Amino acid sequence: MFRKKNLKFFSTMLLTLAISLNMCIVLTIYATEPSDTTVPEEPHNRYTLGGVHPEKIHSRAAYVYERKTGTPVYSQNADEKMYPAAITTLMTMLVAVENMSYSQMISEPIEYPTILSGEFHGSDPNFRDVAAAGFTHGQANLTVWDALIGMMLPSGCDAANMLAYHFGQGEGLERVESFVKMMNKTAKQIGMKNTNFTNPHGLFETDNYSTVYDFFLLTDYAFTRYPEEFRRVTELDEWVMPYKEGSTPPPPVRNSNFLVQDTATNPYYYEHAFGVKTGGLPYYQLQNADGTWGANIPGMANLVSIAERDGFEYIIVTAGAPYHPSGERKANEQPLHYAFLDHRALYGWAFPSFAYVTVLTKTDPQISVTVIDGEADTINLFPQMEDEYRALLPANLDVLSIVDIKPIVDNKEVPAPIAAGAVLGKVEIRIKNQVLETFPLVTIEAVEKTQAASMRTWLRETFFNEVMEAKVDGNGMATEELFPTGEYKLKPLYTFLLVTAAVLTVALIIMSYARKYQKLQSERGSTIRRKPPNRRIRR
């Protein structure tokens, strides 16, 4: 009897412990979060939009950009350093415009001191026979606006120095030097990473350099922030400068950008262009270590222009076209002959080659993800946008043949509940592995959690704490920053209650067994006392 009841006691105790342990295991299993399966992003570069190339051009470097859609369509040696020549004056004008309004410029007097001409009569052959606006020293009837036009239309180096002197700080030529520092500071603010200016006019110096991409940034910035001022100047055909009273009126200065010169004898005119600036060097010379100057090095023709047509507006910057020497020119041909031809050719290619087409709409489902513990097994994700995404793409081609729409989700499995409008990934619109645009991927409808899953969540949040671990730095040392591991353990209070319950259960079983054992012993003792004595019957 004792052995059977003892076995029953131990069986009950083991069953209680097994039930408690099983409860812990079950809750721990449902407390574990699903694993993260993030899709890595792929690197991308941009060179040509859709692989649609123009015909070969004469310029060594080029950058073509459509402003209305914000799309670069062609680049060639865009980050290669080049000598900018007179397109430098775009920065000179920008600094001036940022320091004075148009109304001030047309009335603000400007002086032309003699010291500003000294560099044009020195020993440096690169600073001789320079283009000039034709101002006279001491001329008192000139305004800042006159100087801007004198600099931008005929590339007047005298006008560039006058503006630098006017807006610079210090004494004498220090004013010009301080203005050049302002030019470089502005270049950095715009993002011109491969640019350094050493003078305001662009005459050749080895440390005066830039790139066609940097000059695109400059041009786009200038025409975005100050479109009225820059268009007023750069689309002018000619301008009659003020002159001293009693002197012979000078001829008007003409715009050196023949893309905007509407004359019967101009072969370069492009009716849709309205700027911007030419920059040419017929040759340049390098100084030897002994101070002498080397032989003439063939120069280059640079050009920045903007044209608008059919709702599109292109900026084109080219550099390094051959400078057209006078001995090789035909009638009406200009020094920047090849640069003008390149811009006409690039406009003739760009405008008809690209169209603004619909690529994606907000109602196009992109991908579905699995829902864990949800009333629905999957949910579709849609691009978050206004109504549709349109892009500048090669014309007359099927969009899907050249565009790759790539959805990327944070996790392929997402636990419920999921709210409507929840961001669960993104979609990249690519062309030739180049990202055109990125949109978030969101849910349209909500997915509620099942009742069973809600109960498991309640049990997990009620009885468990998530395990946190310290992040490790580069030296393998633990930091104070913690991150969740996705694992859970029973809260100390419930661990204590569970252990206490188990102990109490065991104690109650033992006490019950002890009472029963005591009662059994008591009953056996009473039976022995009531038994009559064993008497023998005598015969």
Side-chain angles (χ1 to χ4, degrees):
M1 178 69 71
F2 175 79
R3 290 184 179 178
K4 289 184 179 180
K5 287 191 173 291
N6 193 34
L7 179 61
K8 184 178 180 180
F9 157 70
F10 283 109
S11 298
T12 305
M13 183 176 67
L14 289 174
L15 179 61
T16 302
L17 292 175
I19 292 173
S20 300
L21 180 60
N22 185 62
M23 180 180 176
C24 293
I25 293 173
V26 170
L27 291 177
T28 303
I29 290 173
Y30 284 109
T32 304
E33 295 292 335
S35 60
D36 181 17
T37 55
T38 302
V39 179
E41 295 185 14
E42 296 179 2
H44 54 273
N45 296 299
R46 184 183 299 277
Y47 178 67
T48 303
L49 182 61
V52 181
H53 296 274
E55 295 183 3
K56 185 177 180 180
I57 59 176
H58 305 89
S59 298
R60 177 172 176 79
Y63 195 81
V64 184
Y65 181 88
E66 204 291 304
R67 296 188 72 212
K68 298 292 181 68
T69 61
T71 309
V73 300
Y74 181 71
S75 65
Q76 175 180 305
N77 299 322
D79 293 320
E80 184 175 286
K81 291 182 180 179
M82 54 85 175
Y83 299 120
I87 63 173
T88 297
T89 56
L90 282 170
M91 177 59 77
T92 304
M93 179 173 177
L94 176 61
V95 174
V97 169
E98 288 195 324
N99 282 275
M100 185 174 288
S101 67
Y102 169 70
S103 59
Q104 292 174 310
M105 288 179 177
I106 60 177
S107 59
E108 177 84 8
I110 191 170
E111 59 179 319
Y112 184 21
T114 305
I115 57 172
L116 296 182
S117 298
E119 65 177 353
F120 306 134
H121 304 287
S123 60
D124 190 339
N126 298 299
F127 280 61
R128 297 175 189 165
D129 301 322
V130 300
F135 298 138
T136 304
H137 294 300
Q139 189 172 347
N141 58 349
L142 295 173
T143 66
V144 170
W145 191 248
D146 293 324
L148 276 175
I149 293 175
M151 175 182 69
M152 297 298 288
L153 267 62
S155 301
C157 296
D158 50 354
N161 276 352
M162 290 168 60
L163 290 166
Y165 184 87
H166 186 81
F167 288 99
Q169 303 294 323
E171 298 294 333
L173 293 179
E174 290 180 355
R175 299 169 68 89
V176 177
E177 294 175 0
S178 73
F179 184 86
V180 173
K181 291 180 180 179
M182 295 165 64
M183 294 170 65
N184 286 313
K185 181 180 179 181
T186 302
K188 290 182 179 179
Q189 292 172 344
I190 294 174
M192 301 171 69
K193 297 180 180 180
N194 297 302
T195 295
N196 184 68
F197 295 112
T198 58
N199 61 61
H201 40 64
L203 293 178
F204 173 78
E205 289 183 290
T206 55
D207 290 334
N208 194 76
Y209 58 81
S210 187
T211 68
V212 294
Y213 177 73
D214 280 4
F215 263 86
F216 148 70
L217 294 176
L218 168 58
T219 307
D220 187 50
Y221 178 88
F223 276 80
T224 299
R225 294 287 297 273
Y226 309 101
E228 182 179 358
E229 290 84 347
F230 274 83
R231 285 200 65 157
R232 280 177 182 271
V233 174
T234 62
E235 67 183 0
L236 282 173
D237 284 345
E238 61 182 27
W239 184 263
V240 178
M241 290 293 180
Y243 54 93
K244 280 187 175 182
E245 186 177 353
S247 62
T248 303
V253 292
R254 302 297 302 272
N255 196 329
S256 60
N257 181 9
F258 278 78
L259 292 178
V260 300
Q261 288 281 0
D262 185 8
T263 63
T265 59
N266 175 22
Y268 312 109
Y269 175 66
Y270 187 72
E271 61 178 327
H272 305 291
F274 56 86
V276 176
K277 189 70 192 81
T278 59
L281 293 175
Y283 65 87
Y284 60 95
Q285 292 177 260
L286 299 176
Q287 191 170 23
N288 301 317
D290 61 0
T292 61
W293 294 91
N296 289 346
I297 299 174
M300 74 289 294
N302 306 330
L303 182 60
V304 180
S305 69
I306 300 182
E308 188 173 13
R309 168 186 157 191
D310 301 330
F312 297 107
E313 186 177 301
Y314 282 95
I315 294 177
I316 297 180
V317 183
T318 60
Y323 189 92
H324 200 34
S326 57
E328 299 177 8
R329 298 177 204 161
K330 298 177 183 179
N332 298 321
E333 289 186 347
Q334 300 298 321
L336 271 63
H337 171 76
Y338 294 107
F340 293 136
L341 293 182
D342 283 351
H343 280 236
R344 284 180 55 89
L346 288 170
Y347 285 128
W349 160 79
F351 278 111
S353 294
F354 300 97
Y356 202 41
V357 298
T358 299
V359 178
L360 192 66
T361 66
K362 65 184 300 183
T363 57
D364 295 333
Q366 297 303 306
I367 195 173
S368 62
V369 295
T370 301
V371 181
I372 300 174
D373 297 331
E375 293 182 351
D377 295 331
T378 61
I379 188 169
N380 290 326
L381 303 183
F382 296 82
Q384 187 180 51
M385 59 177 65
E386 291 295 330
D387 290 308
E388 61 182 13
Y389 168 70
R390 305 185 73 199
L392 193 71
L393 295 172
N396 303 320
L397 288 177
D398 178 27
V399 171
L400 296 179
S401 68
I402 56 177
V403 173
D404 177 26
I405 300 176
K406 184 178 180 62
I408 301 173
V409 295
D410 301 326
N411 295 288
K412 293 181 179 178
E413 297 180 340
V414 182
I418 303 173
V423 178
L424 300 181
K426 64 182 179 180
V427 58
E428 291 181 345
I429 301 174
R430 301 183 175 193
I431 182 169
K432 298 288 184 180
N433 293 323
Q434 304 164 14
V435 176
L436 296 180
E437 190 60 81
T438 301
F439 294 100
L441 283 176
V442 300
T443 59
I444 299 297
E445 299 177 348
V447 178
E448 299 298 331
K449 195 178 255 189
T450 63
Q451 291 184 356
S454 298
M455 177 59 68
R456 289 196 299 269
T457 300
W458 178 83
L459 291 173
R460 182 181 62 199
E461 294 177 350
T462 302
F463 294 102
F464 289 87
N465 286 326
E466 189 170 11
V467 177
M468 307 291 288
E469 288 187 1
K471 286 189 176 182
V472 179
D473 60 20
N475 298 321
M477 302 296 292
T479 64
E480 295 182 357
E481 187 176 359
L482 301 177
F483 70 96
T485 63
E487 298 179 355
Y488 291 78
K489 66 179 181 179
L490 197 64
K491 292 181 178 180
L493 174 62
Y494 295 110
T495 301
F496 171 77
L497 293 176
L498 187 61
V499 172
T500 302
V503 171
L504 290 175
T505 301
V506 172
L508 289 173
I509 293 173
I510 293 174
M511 290 174 63
S512 176
Y513 169 76
R515 285 197 300 269
K516 289 181 179 180
Y517 180 76
Q518 185 179 13
K519 181 179 180 181
L520 178 62
Q521 294 291 53
S522 175
E523 290 176 351
R524 291 181 63 185
S526 298
T527 302
I528 294 174
R529 287 193 299 271
R530 290 196 302 269
K531 190 176 182 179
N534 187 15
R535 298 176 180 177
R536 294 183 179 182
I537 301 175
R538 295 181 182 180
R539 293 184 180 181

